[in-house]
Amino acid sequence: MKNLRLTLGIAAIAIGSFAAFSFTKVEKSENKALNTYYPVRTGATTFHWQMLNPNDYVCDEGGASCTGYQAASAPADNIIPSGYTKTNQALVPKP
């Protein structure tokens, strides 16, 4: 009888622990660290998003804008993300 109570007690603790962790909140992806990505011109109206030092670049004609965009990961090439203002410019390396 003593062993049965001990076994049931251990089983109850195990089930209770499992239930508690089953309903624990999972962190949302919006809590990820944000990086700043800049559009770098790759053609007359094409660009690639990358992390860089904007002081090493100049703003020129392009398909995006020269301002950075903060996100957990870089947007796809030649895509203007939601909330980003397009001014038909992009960065190019300083001569």
Side-chain angles (χ1 to χ4, degrees):
M1 188 70 163
K2 201 175 198 182
N3 287 339
L4 180 61
R5 280 193 217 162
L6 179 62
T7 303
L8 289 176
I10 291 172
I13 291 172
I15 291 170
S17 297
F18 174 74
F21 288 113
S22 296
F23 299 105
T24 302
K25 279 187 177 180
V26 176
E27 286 189 42
K28 294 182 180 181
S29 61
E30 50 195 54
N31 292 338
K32 291 182 180 177
L34 298 180
N35 297 310
T36 303
Y37 297 93
Y38 294 89
V40 177
R41 185 176 70 190
T42 56
T45 59
T46 59
F47 55 92
H48 171 77
W49 294 94
Q50 66 185 65
M51 292 189 307
L52 53 81
N53 181 351
N55 295 328
D56 296 335
Y57 291 77
V58 293
C59 193
D60 199 5
E61 294 295 316
S65 180
C66 291
T67 58
Y69 178 72
Q70 289 194 330
S73 60
D77 291 354
N78 305 313
I79 299 294
I80 302 294
S82 177
Y84 186 79
T85 304
K86 180 179 175 179
T87 61
N88 292 321
Q89 297 174 321
L91 297 173
V92 292
K94 285 184 178 178

Coordinates of all heavy atoms in Angstrom, one line a residue:
M1 N 0.8 -1.2 0.0 CA 0.0 0.0 0.0 C 0.9 1.3 0.0 O 0.5 2.2 -0.7 CB -0.9 -0.1 1.2 CG -1.9 1.0 1.2 SD -3.1 0.7 -0.1 CE -4.4 1.7 0.4
K2 N 1.9 1.2 0.8 CA 2.9 2.3 0.9 C 3.5 2.6 -0.5 O 3.6 3.7 -0.9 CB 3.9 2.0 1.9 CG 4.6 3.2 2.5 CD 5.5 2.8 3.6 CE 5.9 3.9 4.5 NZ 6.8 3.6 5.5
N3 N 3.9 1.6 -1.2 CA 4.5 1.7 -2.5 C 3.5 2.2 -3.5 O 3.9 3.0 -4.4 CB 5.1 0.4 -3.0 CG 6.3 0.0 -2.3 OD1 7.0 0.8 -1.7 ND2 6.7 -1.3 -2.3
L4 N 2.3 1.8 -3.4 CA 1.2 2.3 -4.3 C 1.0 3.8 -4.2 O 0.9 4.5 -5.1 CB -0.1 1.5 -4.1 CG -1.3 1.9 -5.0 CD1 -0.9 1.7 -6.4 CD2 -2.5 1.2 -4.6
R5 N 1.0 4.3 -2.9 CA 0.8 5.7 -2.7 C 2.0 6.5 -3.2 O 1.8 7.6 -3.8 CB 0.7 6.0 -1.2 CG -0.7 5.7 -0.6 CD -0.8 6.3 0.8 NE -1.7 5.4 1.5 CZ -1.7 5.4 2.8 NH1 -0.9 6.2 3.5 NH2 -2.5 4.6 3.5
L6 N 3.2 6.0 -3.0 CA 4.4 6.6 -3.5 C 4.4 6.7 -5.0 O 4.7 7.7 -5.6 CB 5.6 5.9 -3.0 CG 7.0 6.4 -3.5 CD1 7.2 7.9 -2.9 CD2 8.1 5.6 -3.0
T7 N 4.0 5.6 -5.7 CA 3.9 5.6 -7.1 C 2.9 6.5 -7.6 O 3.1 7.3 -8.6 CB 3.6 4.1 -7.6 OG1 4.6 3.2 -7.1 CG2 3.6 4.0 -9.1
L8 N 1.7 6.6 -7.0 CA 0.7 7.5 -7.4 C 1.1 9.0 -7.2 O 0.8 9.8 -8.0 CB -0.6 7.2 -6.7 CG -1.3 5.9 -7.1 CD1 -2.6 5.7 -6.2 CD2 -1.8 6.0 -8.5
G9 N 1.8 9.2 -6.1 CA 2.3 10.6 -5.8 C 3.3 11.0 -6.9 O 3.2 12.1 -7.4
I10 N 4.2 10.1 -7.3 CA 5.2 10.5 -8.3 C 4.5 10.7 -9.6 O 4.8 11.6 -10.4 CB 6.3 9.4 -8.4 CG1 7.1 9.4 -7.1 CG2 7.1 9.6 -9.6 CD1 8.1 8.2 -7.0
A11 N 3.5 9.8 -9.9 CA 2.8 10.0 -11.2 C 2.0 11.3 -11.2 O 2.0 12.0 -12.3 CB 1.9 8.8 -11.4
A12 N 1.4 11.7 -10.1 CA 0.7 12.9 -10.1 C 1.6 14.1 -10.3 O 1.3 15.1 -11.0 CB 0.0 13.1 -8.7
I13 N 2.8 14.1 -9.7 CA 3.7 15.2 -9.8 C 4.2 15.3 -11.3 O 4.3 16.3 -11.9 CB 4.9 15.0 -8.9 CG1 4.5 15.2 -7.4 CG2 6.1 15.9 -9.3 CD1 5.6 14.9 -6.4
A14 N 4.5 14.1 -11.9 CA 4.9 14.1 -13.3 C 3.8 14.7 -14.2 O 4.1 15.5 -15.1 CB 5.3 12.7 -13.7
I15 N 2.6 14.2 -14.0 CA 1.5 14.7 -14.9 C 1.3 16.2 -14.6 O 1.1 17.0 -15.6 CB 0.2 13.9 -14.6 CG1 0.4 12.5 -15.1 CG2 -1.0 14.6 -15.2 CD1 -0.7 11.5 -14.7
G16 N 1.3 16.7 -13.4 CA 1.2 18.1 -13.1 C 2.3 18.9 -13.7 O 2.0 20.0 -14.3
S17 N 3.5 18.5 -13.7 CA 4.6 19.2 -14.3 C 4.4 19.2 -15.8 O 4.6 20.3 -16.4 CB 5.9 18.5 -14.0 OG 6.2 18.5 -12.6
F18 N 4.0 18.1 -16.4 CA 3.8 18.1 -17.9 C 2.7 19.1 -18.3 O 2.8 19.9 -19.2 CB 3.4 16.7 -18.3 CG 3.1 16.6 -19.8 CD1 4.0 16.7 -20.7 CD2 1.7 16.5 -20.2 CE1 3.7 16.6 -22.1 CE2 1.4 16.5 -21.5 CZ 2.4 16.5 -22.5
A19 N 1.6 19.1 -17.5 CA 0.5 20.0 -17.8 C 0.9 21.5 -17.7 O 0.6 22.3 -18.5 CB -0.7 19.7 -16.9
A20 N 1.7 21.8 -16.6 CA 2.2 23.1 -16.4 C 3.0 23.6 -17.6 O 2.9 24.7 -18.1 CB 2.9 23.3 -15.1
F21 N 3.9 22.8 -18.1 CA 4.8 23.2 -19.2 C 4.1 23.1 -20.5 O 4.5 23.8 -21.5 CB 6.1 22.3 -19.2 CG 7.0 22.6 -18.1 CD1 7.3 21.7 -17.1 CD2 7.7 23.8 -18.1 CE1 8.1 21.9 -16.1 CE2 8.5 24.1 -17.0 CZ 8.8 23.2 -16.1
S22 N 3.0 22.4 -20.6 CA 2.3 22.3 -21.9 C 1.6 23.6 -22.2 O 1.4 24.0 -23.4 CB 1.2 21.2 -21.8 OG 1.8 20.0 -21.7
F23 N 1.2 24.4 -21.2 CA 0.5 25.6 -21.4 C 1.4 26.9 -21.2 O 0.9 28.0 -21.1 CB -0.7 25.7 -20.5 CG -1.7 24.5 -20.8 CD1 -1.8 23.4 -20.0 CD2 -2.4 24.6 -22.0 CE1 -2.6 22.4 -20.3 CE2 -3.3 23.5 -22.3 CZ -3.4 22.4 -21.4
T24 N 2.7 26.7 -21.2 CA 3.6 27.8 -21.0 C 3.6 28.6 -22.3 O 3.6 28.0 -23.4 CB 5.0 27.3 -20.7 OG1 4.9 26.6 -19.5 CG2 6.0 28.5 -20.5
K25 N 3.6 29.9 -22.3 CA 3.6 30.8 -23.5 C 4.9 30.6 -24.2 O 6.0 30.5 -23.6 CB 3.5 32.2 -23.1 CG 2.1 32.7 -22.8 CD 2.0 34.2 -22.7 CE 0.6 34.7 -22.5 NZ 0.6 36.1 -22.3
V26 N 4.8 30.6 -25.5 CA 6.0 30.5 -26.4 C 6.3 32.0 -26.8 O 5.4 32.7 -27.1 CB 5.7 29.6 -27.6 CG1 6.9 29.7 -28.6 CG2 5.4 28.2 -27.2
E27 N 7.5 32.3 -26.8 CA 7.9 33.7 -27.2 C 7.5 34.0 -28.6 O 7.8 33.1 -29.5 CB 9.4 33.9 -26.9 CG 9.8 34.1 -25.5 CD 11.2 34.5 -25.4 OE1 11.6 35.4 -26.1 OE2 11.9 34.0 -24.5
K28 N 7.0 35.1 -28.9 CA 6.7 35.5 -30.2 C 7.9 35.9 -31.0 O 8.9 36.4 -30.4 CB 5.6 36.6 -30.2 CG 4.3 36.2 -29.6 CD 3.4 37.4 -29.7 CE 2.0 37.0 -29.1 NZ 1.1 38.1 -29.2
S29 N 7.9 35.8 -32.3 CA 9.0 36.2 -33.1 C 9.3 37.7 -33.1 O 10.4 38.1 -33.4 CB 8.8 35.7 -34.6 OG 7.7 36.3 -35.1
E30 N 8.3 38.4 -32.7 CA 8.5 39.9 -32.7 C 9.4 40.3 -31.5 O 9.8 41.4 -31.5 CB 7.2 40.6 -32.6 CG 6.2 40.1 -31.5 CD 4.8 40.6 -31.7 OE1 4.2 40.4 -32.8 OE2 4.3 41.2 -30.7
N31 N 9.8 39.4 -30.6 CA 10.7 39.7 -29.6 C 12.2 39.5 -30.0 O 13.1 39.6 -29.2 CB 10.4 38.8 -28.3 CG 9.1 39.2 -27.7 OD1 8.6 40.3 -27.8 ND2 8.5 38.2 -27.0
K32 N 12.4 39.1 -31.3 CA 13.7 38.9 -31.7 C 14.5 40.2 -31.9 O 13.8 41.3 -32.0 CB 13.7 38.2 -33.1 CG 13.3 36.8 -33.1 CD 13.3 36.3 -34.5 CE 12.9 34.8 -34.6 NZ 12.9 34.3 -35.9
A33 N 15.8 40.2 -31.8 CA 16.6 41.4 -31.9 C 16.4 42.0 -33.3 O 16.4 41.2 -34.3 CB 18.0 41.1 -31.6
L34 N 16.3 43.3 -33.4 CA 16.1 43.9 -34.7 C 17.5 44.4 -35.3 O 18.3 44.8 -34.5 CB 15.2 45.1 -34.7 CG 13.7 44.8 -34.2 CD1 12.9 46.1 -34.2 CD2 13.1 43.8 -35.2
N35 N 17.7 44.2 -36.6 CA 18.9 44.7 -37.3 C 18.4 45.8 -38.2 O 17.3 45.8 -38.6 CB 19.5 43.5 -38.1 CG 20.0 42.4 -37.2 OD1 20.7 42.7 -36.2 ND2 19.6 41.2 -37.5
T36 N 19.3 46.6 -38.6 CA 19.0 47.7 -39.6 C 19.6 47.3 -40.9 O 20.8 47.0 -41.0 CB 19.6 49.0 -39.2 OG1 19.0 49.3 -37.9 CG2 19.2 50.1 -40.2
Y37 N 18.8 47.2 -41.9 CA 19.1 46.8 -43.3 C 19.0 48.0 -44.2 O 18.0 48.8 -44.1 CB 18.3 45.7 -43.8 CG 18.4 44.4 -43.0 CD1 17.6 44.1 -41.9 CD2 19.5 43.5 -43.3 CE1 17.8 43.0 -41.1 CE2 19.7 42.4 -42.5 CZ 18.8 42.1 -41.4 OH 19.0 41.0 -40.7
Y38 N 19.9 48.2 -45.1 CA 19.9 49.3 -46.1 C 19.8 48.7 -47.5 O 20.4 47.7 -47.8 CB 21.2 50.1 -45.9 CG 21.2 50.9 -44.6 CD1 21.8 50.3 -43.5 CD2 20.7 52.2 -44.5 CE1 21.9 50.9 -42.3 CE2 20.8 52.8 -43.3 CZ 21.4 52.2 -42.2 OH 21.5 52.9 -41.0
P39 N 19.1 49.4 -48.4 CA 19.1 49.0 -49.8 C 20.3 49.5 -50.5 O 20.7 50.6 -50.6 CB 17.8 49.7 -50.3 CG 17.7 50.9 -49.5 CD 18.2 50.6 -48.2
V40 N 21.1 48.5 -51.1 CA 22.3 48.8 -51.9 C 21.9 48.5 -53.3 O 21.5 47.4 -53.7 CB 23.5 48.0 -51.4 CG1 24.7 48.2 -52.3 CG2 23.8 48.3 -49.9
R41 N 22.2 49.5 -54.2 CA 21.8 49.4 -55.6 C 22.6 48.3 -56.3 O 23.8 48.2 -56.1 CB 22.0 50.7 -56.3 CG 21.6 50.7 -57.7 CD 21.7 52.0 -58.4 NE 23.1 52.3 -58.6 CZ 23.6 53.5 -58.9 NH1 22.7 54.5 -59.2 NH2 24.8 53.7 -59.1
T42 N 21.9 47.5 -57.0 CA 22.6 46.4 -57.8 C 22.3 46.6 -59.3 O 22.9 45.9 -60.1 CB 22.1 45.0 -57.4 OG1 20.6 45.0 -57.5 CG2 22.4 44.7 -56.0
G43 N 21.5 47.5 -59.7 CA 21.1 47.9 -61.1 C 20.4 49.2 -61.1 O 20.3 49.9 -60.0
A44 N 19.9 49.6 -62.2 CA 19.3 50.9 -62.3 C 18.1 51.1 -61.4 O 17.9 52.1 -60.7 CB 18.8 51.1 -63.8
T45 N 17.3 50.0 -61.2 CA 16.1 50.1 -60.3 C 16.1 48.9 -59.4 O 15.1 48.6 -58.7 CB 14.8 50.1 -61.1 OG1 14.7 49.0 -61.9 CG2 14.7 51.4 -61.9
T46 N 17.2 48.1 -59.3 CA 17.2 46.9 -58.4 C 18.2 47.2 -57.2 O 19.1 48.0 -57.3 CB 17.7 45.7 -59.2 OG1 19.0 45.9 -59.7 CG2 16.7 45.3 -60.3
F47 N 17.9 46.5 -56.2 CA 18.7 46.6 -54.9 C 18.6 45.4 -54.1 O 17.8 44.5 -54.3 CB 18.2 47.8 -54.1 CG 16.7 47.7 -53.8 CD1 16.3 47.2 -52.6 CD2 15.7 48.2 -54.7 CE1 14.9 47.1 -52.3 CE2 14.4 48.1 -54.4 CZ 14.0 47.6 -53.2
H48 N 19.6 45.3 -53.2 CA 19.7 44.2 -52.2 C 19.8 44.8 -50.8 O 20.5 45.8 -50.6 CB 21.0 43.4 -52.6 CG 21.4 42.4 -51.6 ND1 20.7 41.2 -51.5 CD2 22.3 42.4 -50.6 CE1 21.3 40.5 -50.5 NE2 22.2 41.2 -49.9
W49 N 19.1 44.2 -49.9 CA 19.1 44.7 -48.5 C 20.3 44.1 -47.8 O 20.5 42.9 -47.8 CB 17.8 44.3 -47.8 CG 16.6 44.9 -48.3 CD1 15.8 44.5 -49.3 CD2 16.1 46.2 -48.0 NE1 14.8 45.4 -49.5 CE2 15.0 46.5 -48.7 CE3 16.5 47.2 -47.1 CZ2 14.2 47.6 -48.6 CZ3 15.8 48.4 -46.9 CH2 14.6 48.6 -47.7
Q50 N 21.1 44.9 -47.0 CA 22.2 44.4 -46.3 C 22.5 45.3 -45.1 O 22.2 46.4 -45.1 CB 23.4 44.1 -47.1 CG 24.0 45.4 -47.7 CD 25.2 45.0 -48.6 OE1 25.0 44.4 -49.7 NE2 26.4 45.4 -48.3
M51 N 23.1 44.7 -44.1 CA 23.6 45.4 -42.9 C 24.9 46.0 -43.3 O 25.8 45.3 -43.8 CB 23.8 44.5 -41.7 CG 22.4 44.0 -41.2 SD 22.5 43.2 -39.6 CE 23.8 42.0 -39.8
L52 N 25.1 47.3 -43.1 CA 26.3 48.0 -43.5 C 26.5 49.3 -42.7 O 25.6 49.7 -41.9 CB 26.3 48.3 -45.0 CG 25.1 49.1 -45.5 CD1 25.2 50.5 -45.3 CD2 25.0 48.8 -47.0
N53 N 27.7 49.9 -42.9 CA 27.9 51.2 -42.3 C 27.5 52.3 -43.3 O 28.2 52.4 -44.3 CB 29.4 51.4 -41.9 CG 29.7 52.7 -41.3 OD1 28.8 53.6 -41.2 ND2 30.9 52.9 -40.7
P54 N 26.4 53.0 -43.1 CA 25.9 53.9 -44.1 C 26.9 55.1 -44.4 O 26.9 55.7 -45.5 CB 24.6 54.5 -43.6 CG 24.7 54.2 -42.1 CD 25.6 53.0 -41.9
N55 N 27.9 55.3 -43.5 CA 28.9 56.3 -43.8 C 29.9 55.9 -44.9 O 30.6 56.8 -45.4 CB 29.7 56.6 -42.5 CG 28.8 57.2 -41.4 OD1 27.9 57.9 -41.7 ND2 29.2 56.8 -40.2
D56 N 29.9 54.7 -45.3 CA 30.8 54.2 -46.4 C 30.0 54.3 -47.7 O 30.6 53.8 -48.8 CB 31.2 52.8 -46.1 CG 32.1 52.7 -44.9 OD1 32.7 53.7 -44.5 OD2 32.2 51.6 -44.3
Y57 N 28.8 54.8 -47.8 CA 28.0 54.8 -49.0 C 27.4 56.2 -49.2 O 27.4 57.0 -48.3 CB 26.8 53.8 -48.8 CG 27.3 52.4 -48.8 CD1 27.9 51.8 -47.7 CD2 27.1 51.6 -50.0 CE1 28.3 50.5 -47.7 CE2 27.5 50.2 -50.0 CZ 28.1 49.7 -48.9 OH 28.6 48.4 -48.9
V58 N 27.0 56.4 -50.4 CA 26.3 57.6 -50.8 C 24.9 57.3 -51.4 O 24.7 56.2 -51.9 CB 27.1 58.5 -51.8 CG1 28.4 59.0 -51.2 CG2 27.4 57.7 -53.1
C59 N 24.0 58.2 -51.2 CA 22.7 58.0 -51.7 C 22.6 58.4 -53.2 O 23.1 59.4 -53.6 CB 21.7 58.8 -50.9 SG 20.0 58.4 -51.2
D60 N 22.0 57.5 -54.0 CA 22.0 57.8 -55.5 C 20.7 57.2 -56.0 O 19.9 56.6 -55.3 CB 23.2 57.1 -56.2 CG 23.5 57.6 -57.6 OD1 22.9 58.6 -58.0 OD2 24.4 57.1 -58.2
E61 N 20.4 57.4 -57.3 CA 19.2 56.9 -57.9 C 19.1 55.4 -57.7 O 20.1 54.7 -57.8 CB 19.2 57.2 -59.4 CG 19.1 58.7 -59.7 CD 17.8 59.3 -59.2 OE1 16.7 58.7 -59.4 OE2 17.8 60.4 -58.7
G62 N 17.9 54.9 -57.4 CA 17.7 53.5 -57.2 C 16.3 53.2 -57.0 O 15.4 54.0 -57.3
G63 N 15.9 52.0 -56.5 CA 14.5 51.6 -56.5 C 13.9 51.6 -55.1 O 12.8 51.1 -54.9
A64 N 14.6 52.1 -54.1 CA 14.1 52.1 -52.7 C 14.2 53.5 -52.1 O 13.5 54.4 -52.5 CB 14.8 51.0 -51.9
S65 N 14.9 53.6 -51.0 CA 15.2 54.8 -50.3 C 16.5 54.6 -49.6 O 17.0 53.5 -49.4 CB 14.1 55.1 -49.3 OG 14.3 56.2 -48.6
C66 N 17.2 55.6 -49.2 CA 18.5 55.5 -48.5 C 18.4 55.3 -47.0 O 19.4 55.1 -46.4 CB 19.3 56.7 -48.8 SG 19.8 56.8 -50.6
T67 N 17.2 55.3 -46.5 CA 17.0 55.1 -45.0 C 17.0 53.6 -44.7 O 16.7 52.7 -45.5 CB 15.7 55.7 -44.5 OG1 14.6 55.1 -45.2 CG2 15.7 57.2 -44.7
G68 N 17.4 53.3 -43.5 CA 17.5 51.9 -43.1 C 16.1 51.3 -42.7 O 15.2 52.1 -42.5
Y69 N 16.0 50.0 -42.7 CA 14.8 49.4 -42.3 C 15.1 48.4 -41.2 O 16.0 47.6 -41.4 CB 14.2 48.6 -43.5 CG 12.9 47.9 -43.2 CD1 11.7 48.5 -43.0 CD2 12.9 46.5 -43.1 CE1 10.6 47.8 -42.7 CE2 11.8 45.8 -42.8 CZ 10.6 46.4 -42.6 OH 9.5 45.7 -42.3
Q70 N 14.4 48.4 -40.1 CA 14.7 47.5 -39.0 C 13.8 46.3 -39.0 O 12.5 46.4 -39.1 CB 14.5 48.3 -37.7 CG 15.6 49.3 -37.4 CD 15.6 49.8 -36.0 OE1 14.6 49.8 -35.3 NE2 16.8 50.1 -35.5
A71 N 14.4 45.2 -38.9 CA 13.7 43.9 -38.9 C 14.6 42.8 -38.4 O 15.8 43.0 -38.3 CB 13.3 43.5 -40.4
A72 N 14.0 41.7 -38.0 CA 14.8 40.6 -37.5 C 15.6 39.9 -38.6 O 16.7 39.4 -38.4 CB 13.9 39.5 -36.9
S73 N 15.1 40.0 -39.9 CA 15.8 39.4 -41.0 C 15.6 40.4 -42.2 O 14.7 41.1 -42.3 CB 15.4 38.0 -41.4 OG 14.0 38.0 -41.7
A74 N 16.5 40.3 -43.2 CA 16.5 41.2 -44.3 C 15.3 40.9 -45.2 O 14.9 39.8 -45.4 CB 17.8 41.0 -45.1
P75 N 14.7 42.0 -45.7 CA 13.6 41.8 -46.7 C 14.2 41.2 -48.0 O 15.4 41.2 -48.2 CB 13.1 43.2 -47.0 CG 13.6 44.0 -45.9 CD 14.9 43.4 -45.4
A76 N 13.4 40.6 -48.8 CA 13.8 40.0 -50.1 C 14.3 41.1 -51.0 O 13.9 42.3 -50.9 CB 12.6 39.3 -50.7
D77 N 15.2 40.8 -51.9 CA 15.8 41.7 -52.9 C 14.6 42.4 -53.7 O 13.7 41.7 -54.0 CB 16.7 41.0 -53.8 CG 18.0 40.6 -53.2 OD1 18.2 40.9 -52.0 OD2 18.8 39.9 -53.8
N78 N 14.8 43.7 -53.9 CA 13.9 44.4 -54.8 C 12.4 44.5 -54.2 O 11.5 44.9 -55.0 CB 13.8 43.9 -56.2 CG 15.2 43.8 -56.8 OD1 16.0 44.7 -56.7 ND2 15.5 42.6 -57.4
I79 N 12.3 44.2 -52.9 CA 10.9 44.3 -52.3 C 10.9 45.5 -51.3 O 11.8 45.6 -50.5 CB 10.6 43.0 -51.6 CG1 10.6 41.8 -52.6 CG2 9.3 43.1 -50.8 CD1 9.5 41.9 -53.6
I80 N 9.9 46.3 -51.4 CA 9.7 47.4 -50.4 C 8.8 46.8 -49.3 O 7.7 46.5 -49.5 CB 9.1 48.6 -51.1 CG1 9.9 49.1 -52.2 CG2 8.8 49.7 -50.0 CD1 11.2 49.7 -51.9
P81 N 9.3 46.7 -48.1 CA 8.5 46.2 -47.0 C 7.4 47.1 -46.6 O 7.5 48.3 -46.8 CB 9.5 45.9 -45.9 CG 10.7 46.7 -46.2 CD 10.7 47.0 -47.7
S82 N 6.4 46.6 -46.0 CA 5.3 47.4 -45.5 C 5.8 48.4 -44.5 O 6.6 48.1 -43.6 CB 4.3 46.5 -44.8 OG 3.2 47.2 -44.3
G83 N 5.4 49.7 -44.6 CA 5.8 50.7 -43.7 C 7.0 51.4 -44.1 O 7.5 52.4 -43.4
Y84 N 7.7 51.1 -45.2 CA 8.9 51.7 -45.6 C 8.6 52.7 -46.7 O 7.9 52.3 -47.7 CB 9.9 50.6 -46.1 CG 11.3 51.1 -46.5 CD1 12.2 51.4 -45.5 CD2 11.6 51.3 -47.8 CE1 13.5 51.8 -45.8 CE2 12.9 51.8 -48.1 CZ 13.8 52.0 -47.1 OH 15.1 52.5 -47.5
T85 N 9.1 53.9 -46.7 CA 8.8 54.9 -47.7 C 9.8 54.8 -48.8 O 11.0 55.0 -48.6 CB 8.8 56.3 -47.0 OG1 7.9 56.3 -45.9 CG2 8.4 57.4 -48.0
K86 N 9.3 54.6 -50.0 CA 10.1 54.6 -51.2 C 10.3 56.0 -51.8 O 9.4 56.7 -51.9 CB 9.4 53.7 -52.3 CG 10.2 53.5 -53.5 CD 9.4 52.6 -54.5 CE 10.1 52.5 -55.8 NZ 9.4 51.6 -56.7
T87 N 11.6 56.3 -52.1 CA 11.9 57.6 -52.7 C 12.7 57.4 -53.9 O 13.3 58.4 -54.4 CB 12.8 58.5 -51.7 OG1 14.0 57.8 -51.4 CG2 12.0 58.8 -50.4
N88 N 12.8 56.2 -54.5 CA 13.5 55.9 -55.7 C 15.0 56.2 -55.6 O 15.6 56.8 -56.5 CB 12.9 56.6 -56.9 CG 11.5 56.0 -57.3 OD1 11.4 54.8 -57.2 ND2 10.6 56.8 -57.6
Q89 N 15.6 55.9 -54.5 CA 17.0 56.1 -54.2 C 17.5 54.8 -53.6 O 16.8 53.9 -53.1 CB 17.3 57.2 -53.3 CG 16.8 58.6 -53.9 CD 17.0 59.7 -52.8 OE1 16.7 59.4 -51.6 NE2 17.4 60.8 -53.3
A90 N 18.8 54.6 -53.6 CA 19.5 53.5 -52.9 C 20.9 53.9 -52.7 O 21.4 54.9 -53.2 CB 19.4 52.2 -53.8
L91 N 21.6 53.1 -51.9 CA 23.0 53.4 -51.5 C 23.9 52.7 -52.5 O 23.7 51.7 -53.0 CB 23.3 52.9 -50.1 CG 22.5 53.6 -49.0 CD1 22.8 52.8 -47.7 CD2 22.8 55.0 -48.9
V92 N 25.0 53.4 -52.8 CA 26.1 52.9 -53.6 C 27.4 53.2 -52.8 O 27.5 54.2 -52.1 CB 26.2 53.5 -55.0 CG1 25.0 53.1 -55.8 CG2 26.3 55.0 -55.0
P93 N 28.4 52.3 -53.0 CA 29.7 52.6 -52.3 C 30.3 53.9 -52.7 O 30.2 54.3 -53.8 CB 30.6 51.4 -52.7 CG 29.6 50.4 -53.2 CD 28.5 51.1 -53.7
K94 N 30.9 54.6 -51.7 CA 31.6 55.8 -52.0 C 32.7 55.6 -53.0 O 33.4 54.6 -52.9 CB 32.2 56.5 -50.8 CG 31.2 57.1 -49.9 CD 31.8 57.8 -48.7 CE 30.8 58.5 -47.9 NZ 31.4 59.1 -46.7
P95 N 32.9 56.5 -54.0 CA 34.0 56.3 -54.9 C 35.4 56.4 -54.3 O 35.6 56.9 -53.3 CB 33.8 57.5 -55.9 CG 32.7 58.3 -55.4 CD 32.2 57.7 -54.2

